[in-house]
Amino acid sequence: SLQHVPHDLADEPDLDPRLASWLAFADQKVAQVATLARGLREGREAIASELDAATAALADRRDAPGVRDGGVRARATALAPADRARTDFATRSAVQEAALGLPALPTTTIGSFPQTGQIRRARAAFARGDLDGAAYEGFLRDEIARVIALQEEIGLDVLVHGEPERNDMVQYFAENLDGFAVTRNGWVQSYGSRATRPSILWGDVARPAPITVPWAVYAQSLSDKPVKGMLTGPVTILAWSFVRDDQPLSDTADQVALALRDEIADLEAAGIAIVQVDEPALRELLPLKGADQPAYLDWSVGSFRLATAGAADATQIHTHLCYSEFGVVIDAIAALDADVTSIEAARSRGEVISDVAASGFAHGI
């Protein structure tokens, strides 16, 4: 359906012209259908120039800088099974209990606080140039300090910085990773009346610099309680982007996972003891055909583990999953090997609780 495709490439002056030449949004797709109809009526020669242009664009895409990065591919090729495995959970759990000193039933939140009207207005003013970088950063720091103080007042045990600097849980990372582009007006329907701007994952993915570390470090400086580093997982980044179609999704997921693995290492080095890697789309991407599900679960779980397996035993890895009907993938959730899993269960009226009990789920939840 065209409601799931951005409107028109002409609305995207910020896209690199070379990248734009490889793409087709809704208006372009309609024009392509009309061109093919004309070719069927009048013969191939009538649309030869359009076909030649499309062929040239595809060839240009294959050879363009950034589509294939030798360093990224060499690193992915060298991966071994050990790169996706941590120490056993019982050992890690004991180390984390001693290091973190959390109560028997720790409390935390999913991670993101409301994107208030004030936050949105400040972000828009910064984008327009009405608010300079220093003033915008000061505003964000004040917002982080406010939510840290609120969580301490409430009495939570594991805090979050609230993510006021993030416009979207995927786009924020896409803007800071090589291989991605973002749109200005590429809105598509997500569900109901909600719309989103999916990022465009067009090339090999790498992380040129730390993304979340400064904000996590600042938030941690405001409290003696642990503050979680907050990352979006590789499966969710793929699920909520337009993803390149010239290689298997599993290869692309591993590239994103390696970038996140580097981010986790930098968070650890900066003193962040708990890191949450959100995968709300894990269940969403599950193929409808049962025969296709094992392969999907294998690579999706593998990419998560690749992102997190470099963490030290003392670093507590959390993940967040939402939507219902988790019984279908409860074994895969356990296979993620996260130390703590936060599951949204309100919409499903707690159905997942019986699934967890029946499965013998042994990790933190």
Side-chain angles (χ1 to χ4, degrees):
S1 171
L2 294 180
Q3 67 185 347
H4 301 304
V5 181
H7 173 218
D8 187 0
L9 275 167
D11 293 335
E12 301 300 334
D14 300 334
L15 281 182
D16 178 85
R18 189 172 189 177
L19 171 62
S21 73
W22 310 336
L23 303 176
F25 288 1
D27 274 12
Q28 286 71 45
K29 290 180 183 294
V30 170
Q32 289 173 348
V33 171
T35 297
L36 292 171
R38 182 158 55 88
L40 288 172
R41 288 194 312 270
E42 303 173 17
R44 190 187 189 284
E45 288 305 312
I47 60 168
S49 61
E50 290 94 332
L51 294 176
D52 290 345
T55 300
L58 291 173
D60 181 59
R61 174 187 169 192
R62 284 192 296 269
D63 300 329
V67 173
R68 287 170 174 76
D69 182 300
V72 171
R73 290 177 177 256
R75 186 180 181 191
T77 300
L79 291 172
D83 294 313
R84 303 179 195 267
R86 297 182 76 193
T87 308
D88 67 273
F89 174 68
T91 299
R92 301 194 317 259
S93 182
V95 173
Q96 292 163 19
E97 183 176 353
L100 296 170
L102 296 173
L105 294 174
T107 54
T108 188
T109 71
I110 293 301
S112 57
F113 272 58
Q115 291 273 321
T116 64
Q118 186 180 17
I119 292 173
R120 293 178 185 276
R121 285 191 294 272
R123 182 180 298 125
F126 175 62
R128 290 193 307 267
D130 296 339
L131 194 64
D132 65 28
Y136 183 55
E137 181 173 334
F139 169 83
L140 294 174
R141 284 175 171 261
D142 289 346
E143 178 64 18
I144 290 169
R146 184 186 72 80
V147 300
I148 291 289
L150 173 63
Q151 292 168 85
E152 289 199 317
E153 178 185 350
I154 292 169
L156 298 181
D157 301 303
V158 177
L159 312 186
V160 299
H161 79 289
E163 305 174 24
E165 78 286 3
R166 305 186 190 185
N167 44 25
D168 176 86
M169 66 183 296
V170 173
Q171 183 178 335
Y172 177 73
F173 288 91
E175 290 173 341
N176 290 279
L177 292 170
D178 292 341
F180 282 88
V182 298
T183 65
R184 184 192 297 186
N185 298 301
W187 298 100
V188 301
Q189 182 177 354
S190 176
Y191 59 87
S193 61
R194 176 178 169 80
T196 185
R197 283 182 297 158
S199 303
I200 299 169
L201 199 172
W202 59 269
D204 283 348
V205 178
R207 188 199 67 145
I211 302 169
T212 66
V213 176
W215 297 114
V217 169
Y218 171 66
Q220 185 62 79
S221 74
L222 301 173
S223 178
D224 293 330
K225 294 182 176 181
V227 176
K228 291 189 286 192
M230 300 296 302
L231 307 178
T232 302
V235 175
T236 300
I237 288 177
L238 265 60
W240 296 345
S241 299
F242 294 116
V243 181
R244 62 188 300 177
D245 59 1
D246 59 340
Q247 65 183 26
L249 277 176
S250 57
D251 292 354
T252 307
D254 278 357
Q255 291 181 2
V256 177
L258 286 170
L260 296 174
R261 187 183 180 106
D262 294 341
E263 186 75 7
I264 292 173
D266 283 339
L267 285 166
E268 282 185 308
I272 303 301
I274 300 177
V275 180
Q276 181 168 306
V277 182
D278 291 332
E279 282 293 23
L282 179 71
R283 172 67 178 83
E284 176 185 330
L285 273 195
L286 186 73
L288 293 177
K289 293 183 178 179
D292 297 332
Q293 292 177 1
Y296 162 73
L297 292 172
D298 181 64
W299 70 253
S300 61
V301 168
S303 69
F304 180 92
R305 293 180 65 136
L306 178 60
T308 57
D313 289 352
T315 300
Q316 192 171 80
I317 297 293
H318 288 219
T319 191
H320 157 230
L321 302 154
C322 58
Y323 312 126
S324 58
E325 299 178 358
F326 270 109
V328 179
V329 293
I330 195 71
D331 291 340
I333 295 172
L336 293 175
D337 199 27
D339 299 302
V340 178
T341 300
S342 298
I343 294 178
E344 183 280 312
R347 294 183 182 181
S348 59
R349 301 184 180 183
E351 289 176 3
V352 70
I353 297 171
S354 59
D355 294 329
V356 169
S359 72
F361 193 83
H363 293 58
I365 195 165

